Amino acid sequence: MDKRERLEAFLESHDLDSVWFARPNSFAWLTGGNNVVDREGDVGVAAIGYDGTGMTLVANNIEVDRIVSEEVPDLDVDELSVVDFPWYTSSLPEAVPEHVGSDERAAIDIDLPGFEHVDPTPLRQPLTDRDQERYRDLSRQTAAAVEAVCRELQAGDTEHEVASALRVALSARDIEAPVVLVGGATRAQQYRHYTPTDAELGEYALVSVTAERAGLHASCTRTVAFDPPAWLAERHEATARVETTALAATQAAANDGDTAGDVFAAIQNAYDAVGYDGEWEHHHQGGAAGFAGREWIATPDHDTPVEAPMAYAWNPTVQGAKSEDTALVTADNIEVLTATDRWPTTTVSAVDRELELERPAILELED
């Protein structure tokens, strides 16, 4: 089912005349483009609406020409109704209602009086073929950027310096970095979200990013060691086994019509099997990825259906160690997207499931 078909089904099932998207990830999902100027805002500078027959784009006169020329690659511009308004007379939330009839029922993904609210997350699942191809490209480039930075690290580098290098490497590939985490040996053992500080890396480092382009998000983590503690390799392997188990359980759940809670139960069992029962309580385990860093995060008894084909980013941790990549899960395949052929790997087996995957090993560098 393509995106317009999904929207038509949504309009019919909710008895709506139109549905609108103004948040950046929703706008990107439908148009393939970007409506962001100020990254601190929750609402973009353009909104896109669908009424069952065609698309309407609303933007102010500052942005409209650029948006139409550069930011809507998935839309036939000749069939797109474009409405602009003077920047000084109105705001986007004020302008959209002017183009919806007083007797029409409409929904939008922001809080707007007179409109129903649409949660776009179910509409964005599963991924279309075009979005899968975009995902592959984004993920390969994200992994290449992260790994290139990691190969140049030194024990005396500070977390801030590494984070800065990561942002530059990603930006050079036209990739935003909403999440950049760098944890040196001390802080990676203290915190699961190791936001960068001026601390030096020391014996080893965990480097994690969530990267975004055209609305799609890819996450990955790499471990670099200079003088690794004796326990690091064992904990690293444990997290990789939990992650591999999560991916196997995800595929099974998608094929069997099961839920995120079923996958979470498999994750809990895997922690127990690798000798770290209860470690899942200290950090969220990830979930479905796509047009958000996580479309949903799995929890015990989570009743959200598991979809395929869909991207998933599971991120299990054991104190001081983490395993994370973004994978495309289909009915008959698990494709790790954030992978290159320039990083050492190790073969990892899922717990109580017939799946083996090549997972990133610890990269050991000379100090």
Side-chain angles (χ1 to χ4, degrees), residues 189-201:
Q189 296 175 61
Q190 294 176 320
Y191 309 111
R192 306 298 164 120
H193 285 157
Y194 28 86
T195 54
T197 70
D198 59 2
E200 294 185 355
L201 301 184

Side-chain angles (χ1 to χ4, degrees), residues 13 25 41 74 131 136 145 165 168 190 195 202 209 231 328 343:
S13 64
N25 53 354
D74 287 357
D131 286 336
R136 290 186 176 96
V168 170
Q190 294 176 320
T195 54
V209 305
W231 49 261
L328 177 64
W343 192 268

Side-chain angles (χ1 to χ4, degrees), residues 25 124 135 178-179 210-212 215-219 286-297 312-313 315 324 326:
N25 53 354
R124 300 195 294 247
Y135 229 137
V179 178
T210 294
E212 180 269 330
L216 289 167
H217 291 68
S219 299
F291 287 87
R294 299 294 187 271
E295 294 281 11
W296 48 257
I297 292 175
Y312 292 88
N315 47 258
E324 177 186 31
T326 303

Side-chain angles (χ1 to χ4, degrees), residues 70-93:
E70 300 180 347
E71 298 292 356
V72 290
D74 287 357
L75 303 184
D76 186 338
V77 175
D78 292 334
E79 297 180 0
L80 179 66
S81 296
V82 178
V83 178
D84 68 329
F85 59 94
W87 66 266
Y88 53 85
T89 64
S90 187
S91 67
L92 186 67

Side-chain angles (χ1 to χ4, degrees), residues 58-335:
V58 178
N60 68 36
N61 65 302
I62 301 173
E63 310 296 346
V64 67
D65 289 342
R66 178 184 61 82
I67 295 288
V68 172
S69 297
E70 300 180 347
E71 298 292 356
V72 290
D74 287 357
L75 303 184
D76 186 338
V77 175
D78 292 334
E79 297 180 0
L80 179 66
S81 296
V82 178
V83 178
D84 68 329
F85 59 94
W87 66 266
Y88 53 85
T89 64
S90 187
S91 67
L92 186 67
E94 293 169 334
V96 170
E98 295 179 8
H99 305 286
V100 175
S102 59
D103 60 343
E104 294 182 3
R105 297 185 67 241
I108 194 167
D109 63 343
I110 61 176
D111 292 330
L112 192 60
F115 282 66
E116 296 189 25
H117 182 75
V118 54
D119 176 5
T121 301
L123 289 169
R124 300 195 294 247
Q125 302 177 69
L127 294 171
T128 64
D129 291 344
R130 181 166 172 76
D131 286 336
Q132 290 174 48
E133 286 305 311
R134 285 177 170 159
Y135 229 137
R136 290 186 176 96
D137 186 56
L138 165 66
S139 298
R140 283 192 296 266
Q141 293 194 44
T142 296
V146 171
E147 292 175 3
V149 171
C150 285
R151 284 192 291 270
E152 301 300 321
L153 297 185
Q154 297 180 354
D157 292 338
T158 69
E159 296 168 348
H160 274 316
E161 289 170 338
V162 178
S164 179
L166 289 165
R167 292 189 178 96
V168 170
L170 290 165
S171 180
R173 294 165 170 82
D174 189 27
I175 299 172
E176 298 286 343
V179 178
V180 174
L181 304 177
V182 181
T186 299
R187 295 183 66 256
Q189 296 175 61
Q190 294 176 320
Y191 309 111
R192 306 298 164 120
H193 285 157
Y194 28 86
T195 54
T197 70
D198 59 2
E200 294 185 355
L201 301 184
E203 295 177 321
Y204 79 100
L206 300 184
V207 175
S208 303
V209 305
T210 294
E212 180 269 330
R213 184 171 62 196
L216 289 167
H217 291 68
S219 299
C220 66
T221 292
R222 296 294 182 265
T223 306
V224 178
F226 309 100
D227 183 20
W231 49 261
L232 181 61
E234 186 271 333
R235 294 186 191 180
H236 179 84
E237 181 181 5
T239 61
R241 289 199 70 196
V242 175
E243 184 194 14
T244 302
T245 305
L247 288 168
T250 300
Q251 185 179 57
N255 288 338
D256 296 343
D258 289 335
T259 68
D262 295 308
V263 179
F264 198 87
I267 291 171
Q268 291 173 300
N269 291 336
Y271 271 109
D272 189 13
V274 299
Y276 291 96
D277 184 26
E279 191 73 6
W280 59 268
E281 297 180 30
H282 302 296
H283 186 236
H284 79 76
Q285 302 302 301
F291 287 87
R294 299 294 187 271
E295 294 281 11
W296 48 257
I297 292 175
T299 56
D301 303 318
H302 194 159
D303 62 1
T304 295
V306 176
E307 302 276 1
M310 191 63 192
Y312 292 88
W314 299 105
N315 47 258
T317 62
V318 171
Q319 184 180 18
K322 181 179 182 181
S323 186
E324 177 186 31
D325 268 306
T326 303
L328 177 64
V329 177
T330 67
D332 55 8
N333 189 41
I334 296 174
E335 176 187 356

